[in-house]
């Protein structure tokens, strides 16, 4: 049985709801309301289509529109961004603080509560995310006992669970360029959130995020301004298209914001104080 418990890394809970998580024993039985994230990539069970449809209805309601007025690929992109942001944020926090997880995680390892809005409940296997007693808080000072380098953690995540989610959402006619841009945006958003919540962790969080952003899957998805490292993606998450006449606000890191003279909802640069509304 899943026995949800507070994460054994209290520092993460202080970094905001997207970094917080619960834990379960690796061999525990799955019980409601917990579900495996892997269900979203299983052909034929309808879980992913159900999630996208729910996000579509929510977006439409926000603008007082019928669901069919919102393009399915727009809802799929927004649903994907929300999911990867929730998966990446605690992983980036763990990598920054503790050099964890201690082994690669799969979507089968990740358990979630599929509520809409904000940071849904997420549970990670306790054995993989519990810091060794001697580790303490890394704060970018090098891996301790049982920890791993950020480059390995980035590859584990981006070539594993995140890659699987990108492949699943690509079936909704969303380009992989957009989907990997969503991932890069989520990485930057996680680092921004950590820096805002704990300024003393800003430097290690940004260093860890940069390692993630230099991964081959993300290398061509973004630019960093040379004078202030401000993040800008090279694609658009399509959220603006959910509004009537596709006149919605752009995110501050959107490639299209330059054409509108900026004015997005959040800069999402490493010096900003927001998560881009996601």
């Amino acid at each position: 049985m899943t026995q949800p418990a507070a994460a054994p890394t209290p520092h993460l809970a202080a970094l905001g709801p997207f970094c917080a998580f619960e834990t379960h024993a690796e061999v525990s039985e799955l019980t409601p309301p917990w579900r495996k994230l892997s269900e979203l990539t299983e052909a034929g069970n309808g879980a992913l289509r159900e999630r996208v449809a729910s996000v579509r209805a929510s977006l439409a309601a926000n603008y007082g529109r019928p669901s069919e007025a919102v393009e399915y690929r727009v809802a799929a992109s927004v649903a994907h961004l929300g999911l990867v942001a929730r998966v990446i944020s605690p992983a980036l926090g763990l990598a920054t603080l503790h050099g964890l997880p201690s082994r690669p995680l799969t979507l089968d390892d990740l358990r979630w509560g599929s509520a809409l809005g904000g940071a849904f409940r997420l549970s990670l296997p306790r054995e993989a995310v519990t810091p060794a007693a001697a580790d303490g808080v890394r704060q970018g000072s090098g891996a301790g006992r049982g920890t791993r380098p950020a480059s390995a953690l980035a590859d584990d995540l981006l070539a594993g669970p995140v890659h699987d989610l990108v492949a699943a959402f690509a079936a909704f006619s969303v380009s992989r360029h957009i989907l990997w841009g969503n991932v890069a945006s989520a990485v930057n958003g996680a680092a921004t959130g950590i820096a805002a919540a704990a300024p003393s962790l800003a430097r290690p969080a940004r260093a860890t995020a940069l390692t993630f952003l230099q991964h081959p899957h993300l290398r061509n998805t973004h630019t960093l301004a040379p004078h202030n490292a401000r993040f800008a993606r090279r694609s658009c998450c399509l959220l603006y298209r959910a509004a009537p006449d596709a006149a919605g606000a752009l995110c501050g890191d959107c490639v299209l914001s330059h054409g509108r003279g900026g004015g997005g909802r959040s800069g999402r640069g490493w010096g900003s104080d927001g998560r881009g509304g996601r």
Side-chain angles (χ1 to χ4, degrees), residues 7-191:
T9 51
H11 306 89
L12 285 173
L15 301 181
F18 273 80
C19 284
F21 61 90
E22 299 169 66
T23 64
H24 60 270
E26 287 184 346
V27 297
S28 61
E29 181 182 344
L30 188 69
T31 57
W34 293 102
R35 304 162 69 174
K36 289 186 178 182
L37 264 176
S38 58
E39 69 179 357
L40 297 177
T41 62
E42 295 170 357
N45 76 359
L48 184 57
R49 185 164 293 275
E50 172 190 320
R51 180 72 177 183
V52 173
S54 295
V55 170
R56 187 188 194 196
S58 179
L59 290 172
N62 286 343
Y63 290 106
R65 311 179 74 193
S67 292
E68 58 269 22
V70 176
E71 298 166 81
Y72 220 90
R73 70 188 187 105
V74 171
S77 176
V78 173
H80 172 261
L81 181 52
L83 283 167
V84 294
R86 187 67 180 101
V87 170
I88 284 172
S89 294
L92 194 95
L94 282 166
T96 298
L97 290 169
H98 302 292
L100 295 167
S102 59
R103 65 164 177 82
L105 299 179
T106 68
L107 287 179
D108 262 344
D109 291 317
L110 307 181
R111 300 180 180 184
W112 70 313
S114 57
L116 288 178
F120 54 79
R121 292 177 71 187
L122 184 71
S123 183
L124 306 181
R126 189 173 304 129
E127 294 83 350
V129 299
T130 302
D135 285 350
V137 179
R138 290 176 66 219
Q139 298 190 7
S141 60
R145 179 169 59 87
T147 65
R148 303 169 64 231
S151 58
L153 297 169
D155 190 59
D156 290 343
L157 186 69
L158 299 177
V162 170
H163 178 275
D164 293 344
L165 287 172
V166 166
F169 276 94
F172 290 87
S173 299
V174 186
S175 80
R176 289 176 185 260
H177 181 57
I178 287 174
L179 295 171
W180 283 112
N182 287 348
V183 175
S185 186
V187 169
N188 179 67

Side-chain angles (χ1 to χ4, degrees), residues 186-265:
V187 169
N188 179 67
T192 299
I194 291 171
S200 65
L201 295 177
R203 177 174 289 184
R206 291 168 183 167
T208 302
L210 185 60
T211 299
F212 276 63
L213 291 172
Q214 290 173 336
H215 188 275
H217 284 319
L218 300 184
R219 199 170 291 150
N220 296 318
T221 61
H222 66 283
T223 58
L224 296 175
H227 59 290
N228 62 3
R230 184 179 178 84
F231 175 92
R233 58 185 290 174
R234 296 179 180 176
S235 61
C236 172
C237 72
L238 306 178
L239 177 59
Y240 79 97
R241 297 185 62 85
D245 301 318
L250 298 175
C251 302
D253 65 0
C254 182
V255 68
L256 301 179
S257 66
H258 304 292
R260 293 192 189 179
R265 292 176 300 145

